[in-house]
Amino acid sequence: MSLLVIEDLSVAYGQIEALRGVSLTVESGEVVAILGANGAGKTTLMRAISGLLPKRRGAVRFDGTDITRAPADRIVCLGIAQSPEGRRVFGTLKVEENLALGGFTRSAHEIRQGLETVFGMFPRLAERRDQLAGTLSGGEQQMLAIGRALLARPKLLLLDEPSLGLAPIMVQSIFRSLREIAASGVTVLIVEQNVRSALKLADRGYVLEVGRIVHEDSAARLLASPEVQAAYLGKAHT
Amino acid sequence: MGTFIQQVFNGLTVGGIYALIALGYTMVYGVMRLINFAHGDLCILGAFVGLTLLTGAAGSGHSGAVLLLAAFVLAVVVIAAAGVVLELVAYRPLRKADRLSAVVSALGASLLIENSIMLIWGPDVHVFPGDLLPATTWTVAGASITFVQVMIILASVLLMAALYLFIHHTRFGTAIRATAIDQDTARLMGIKVNRVILTVFVIGPALGAIGGLFVGIYYREAYFTMGWTYGLYAFIAAILGGIGNIPGAMLGGVLLGLFNAFAAGYISSSWQDAITFALLIAILLVRPTGLLGEPDAGKV
Ligand SMILES: Nc1ncnc2c1ncn2[C@@H]1O[C@H](COP(=O)(O)OP(=O)(O)OP(=O)(O)O)[C@@H](O)[C@H]1O
Ligand SMILES: [Mg+2]
């Protein structure tokens, strides 16, 4: 049984349909990438899965439970956490407070364990645990957003453009951590503009174009596909 | 010197009351970006509820302290419940509507409460009993400080310290701060935002009811339009400290109380409001977001 099943999902902002009949599945233990140009509907998809946007049509099932109409807090409890686009750390709260909030649905004991794990993975966050999150660099804020999502102990981690606006060296470091997270058994659904890194990390990928899935394949075949290369990797690349 | 000390104590007393009421404005604004115009009226409704118990139980043989305590408990319970009803009836249905609808709803709720007070208790000024508390006065460097003043100052300090600890050192308090920064991301943490908002509509009115009852006990009177007068002062205190900022509301309340007292004590009580507002405008010209306010911190 797939961990996440999305069937014929449509989501609209007023009259504008941002997702039109999207279907996809994520198997337990997989890393799945969603590719697509600006405005394709990637963030809309992530926010809809997390229960932040109402669905106009279709169904979302997670781990055997229908979550189409579930509120966001219930979805977190069931095991889906998200590192949102633009990081959205709580700037005037301390690093440690941000992380603890990620574990809001968890016990104090689980939060302590989670903090240890995240500080082990991102030592820079440990050094800055008492600093306000707004004073961190972009890369550190991204680590914080990912760490915060991990505190929920998710079965499925949603990552919306974790490398957005980061220096190349920081992008590499973030992807190393993501590899580590995936290897630890967390299932990952990732949206990325940095298509090459995302496909190297992923097992499979979907291509989203103006609200529709137009392509689905293994990550290796998508990387090699001339269409994907032309559209997302730049023609100069061979 | 005597006048100075006197005005400090007068200012701290009124300032403590302003701060207690201001916290309700600032907490609601913090999590909802809404000015709850009905807040001042709720606070004064608290004064009337307390007064009704005090006059009803007069001559029952209980000591003044017991009666006062009962009046505070009743006012807090009734006004906190009223706060919850206000949120559920006047604001929750408009959560996704535009901001102006919520403002109209807030003004409507304010008028409704004010008129209900008038219908129930009448348009006259009610006098609070004066024999509930010891008439002890202390003389400090030429200033006379009453028992009521000391009680109000101590209670305000304790309540604000308790609120500060709750907001900054508990999980739910941190969830309230997160909701104030970014509601959607708070939802991603698994925080039930509607529950946070309801909590704010319990805490704010509960503190406000205490503030309102203090107003009645200190000035020994209550009338149905009093919610506007004291609501306005408290609202200004919240703006002065930086609306949305909890320590700001505390600071703004105390400063406004001191301004008021010094203007009344050194210049003239008929100039008190003019001077207070001039100072407020001067401060806002230098710091448009208030003393401790930040321009929408943490918001993208
Ligand atoms: N709050 C909103 N109100 C109205 N339209 C919106 C809103 N958010 C997104 N849209 C529209 O929905 C479509 C999909 O947007 P979405 O943010 O999901 O795209 P995206 O693939 O994440 O893009 P990007 O790569 O720029 O992050 C776009 O046309 C966008 O303009
Ligand atoms: Mg996006």
Side-chain angles (χ1 to χ4, degrees):
Chain A
M1 189 187 62
S2 307
L3 184 64
L4 181 74
V5 180
I6 297 178
E7 270 169 11
D8 192 30
L9 179 67
S10 294
V11 175
Y13 300 102
Q15 294 302 308
I16 310 149
E17 282 216 314
L19 293 180
R20 311 167 188 194
V22 167
S23 297
L24 63 83
T25 56
V26 179
E27 305 299 322
S28 200
E30 258 190 329
V31 175
V32 173
I34 309 272
L35 314 178
N38 286 338
K42 308 178 297 293
T43 298
T44 304
L45 176 62
M46 299 301 240
R47 291 167 60 80
I49 296 172
S50 279
L52 295 181
L53 292 173
K55 289 105 188 150
R56 176 165 284 188
R57 206 176 59 238
V60 182
R61 273 193 307 281
F62 178 69
D63 214 7
T65 310
D66 183 351
I67 58 165
T68 313
R69 268 168 200 86
D73 59 275
R74 170 118 195 287
I75 292 173
V76 176
C77 288
L78 286 171
I80 302 181
Q82 179 172 168
S83 161
E85 184 177 60
R87 325 186 216 299
R88 307 281 282 259
V89 299
F90 299 108
T92 49
L93 303 190
K94 290 176 184 166
V95 166
E96 190 168 334
E97 288 175 324
N98 269 271
L99 290 170
L101 278 169
F104 189 73
T105 57
R106 295 291 173 178
S107 71
H109 174 71
E110 287 170 317
I111 291 178
R112 268 195 304 280
Q113 279 184 337
L115 285 175
E116 232 167 80
T117 313
V118 169
F119 286 150
M121 182 177 293
F122 302 114
R124 296 167 77 148
L125 294 183
E127 291 162 26
R128 291 161 172 71
R129 62 199 295 166
D130 291 322
Q131 225 166 290
L132 296 186
T135 65
L136 299 181
S137 74
E140 289 161 351
Q141 291 193 9
Q142 187 61 57
M143 293 173 189
L144 181 56
I146 294 171
R148 186 177 65 179
L150 289 178
L151 259 283
R153 297 192 166 204
K155 293 183 191 131
L156 174 64
L157 176 62
L158 306 179
L159 298 162
D160 195 346
E161 307 220 22
S163 77
L164 189 71
L166 301 186
I169 182 131
M170 193 48 89
V171 175
Q172 280 180 22
S173 150
I174 293 283
F175 271 95
R176 259 198 308 279
S177 307
L178 294 182
R179 199 150 302 189
E180 200 181 316
I181 291 165
S184 75
V186 179
T187 307
V188 175
L189 182 61
I190 180 174
V191 163
E192 256 297 342
Q193 303 264 0
N194 197 326
V195 171
R196 199 187 323 273
S197 302
L199 285 177
K200 278 188 190 155
L201 175 74
D203 302 300
R204 283 189 307 123
Y206 291 87
V207 179
L208 195 59
E209 250 170 42
V210 275
R212 286 199 174 84
I213 301 276
V214 295
H215 223 58
E216 182 219 333
D217 215 330
S218 75
R221 273 200 292 271
L222 283 174
L223 254 180
S225 132
E227 290 157 44
V228 170
Q229 289 196 352
Y232 304 109
L233 296 172
K235 287 193 179 101
H237 180 75
T238 47
Chain B
M1 191 60 193
T3 321
F4 181 81
I5 304 275
Q6 185 70 59
Q7 296 317 330
V8 167
F9 270 89
N10 293 354
L12 287 178
T13 310
V14 184
I17 295 175
Y18 290 161
L20 287 177
I21 300 178
L23 284 165
Y25 284 105
T26 229
M27 288 180 77
V28 166
Y29 184 85
V31 297
M32 298 171 73
R33 302 291 182 274
L34 166 80
I35 309 292
N36 175 16
F37 285 108
H39 182 63
D41 303 290
L42 271 184
C43 299
I44 294 310
L45 180 61
F48 274 95
V49 168
L51 177 64
T52 303
L53 185 140
L54 291 175
T55 46
S60 66
H62 294 290
S63 73
V66 170
L67 286 182
L68 261 187
L69 194 65
F72 275 104
V73 171
L74 184 71
V76 163
V77 171
V78 171
I79 301 308
V84 168
V85 172
L86 179 68
E87 143 65 1
L88 293 179
V89 175
Y91 300 138
R92 186 170 294 189
L94 295 173
R95 200 84 92 223
K96 293 197 173 72
D98 64 287
R99 227 167 254 225
L100 199 56
S101 317
V103 170
V104 170
S105 192
L107 288 169
S110 167
L111 284 174
L112 180 77
I113 297 171
E114 190 176 302
N115 284 295
S116 306
I117 295 178
M118 192 192 70
L119 282 174
I120 299 172
W121 285 280
D124 307 326
V125 175
H126 290 248
V127 179
F128 265 71
D131 54 355
L132 295 164
L133 288 167
T136 322
T137 7
W138 293 276
T139 308
V140 180
S144 65
I145 294 139
T146 65
F147 185 89
V148 174
Q149 288 185 313
V150 173
M151 178 187 80
I152 291 176
I153 293 171
L154 281 182
S156 312
V157 169
L158 282 177
L159 286 166
M160 286 191 267
L163 179 70
Y164 188 86
L165 287 177
F166 171 69
I167 294 290
H168 284 268
H169 294 280
T170 66
R171 281 176 79 171
F172 201 79
T174 311
I176 294 177
R177 284 185 290 149
T179 305
I181 298 170
D182 182 343
Q183 279 199 13
D184 271 350
T185 307
R187 282 196 179 87
L188 284 182
M189 305 295 107
I191 294 167
K192 293 181 166 81
V193 165
N194 273 336
R195 187 171 293 181
V196 167
I197 291 174
L198 262 191
T199 307
V200 163
F201 271 97
V202 168
I203 297 177
L207 292 174
I210 296 174
L213 200 42
F214 277 156
V215 169
I217 290 169
Y218 189 51
Y219 296 108
R220 298 221 20 232
E221 62 178 18
Y223 47 90
F224 75 103
T225 55
M226 209 150 108
W228 265 101
T229 317
Y230 288 91
L232 185 62
Y233 273 120
F235 175 59
I236 287 166
I239 302 263
L240 180 63
I243 190 141
N245 184 299
I246 289 173
M250 300 176 182
L251 178 68
V254 171
L255 282 182
L256 188 63
L258 288 171
F259 285 173
N260 255 337
F262 279 104
Y266 281 103
I267 302 161
S268 141
S269 56
S270 46
W271 280 90
Q272 153 183 353
D273 283 353
I275 292 164
T276 306
F277 285 106
L279 256 167
L280 174 82
I281 291 167
I283 289 177
L284 290 182
L285 282 175
V286 181
R287 280 193 68 90
T289 54
L291 293 170
L292 302 185
E294 299 142 88
D296 264 349
K299 282 250 159 179
V300 188

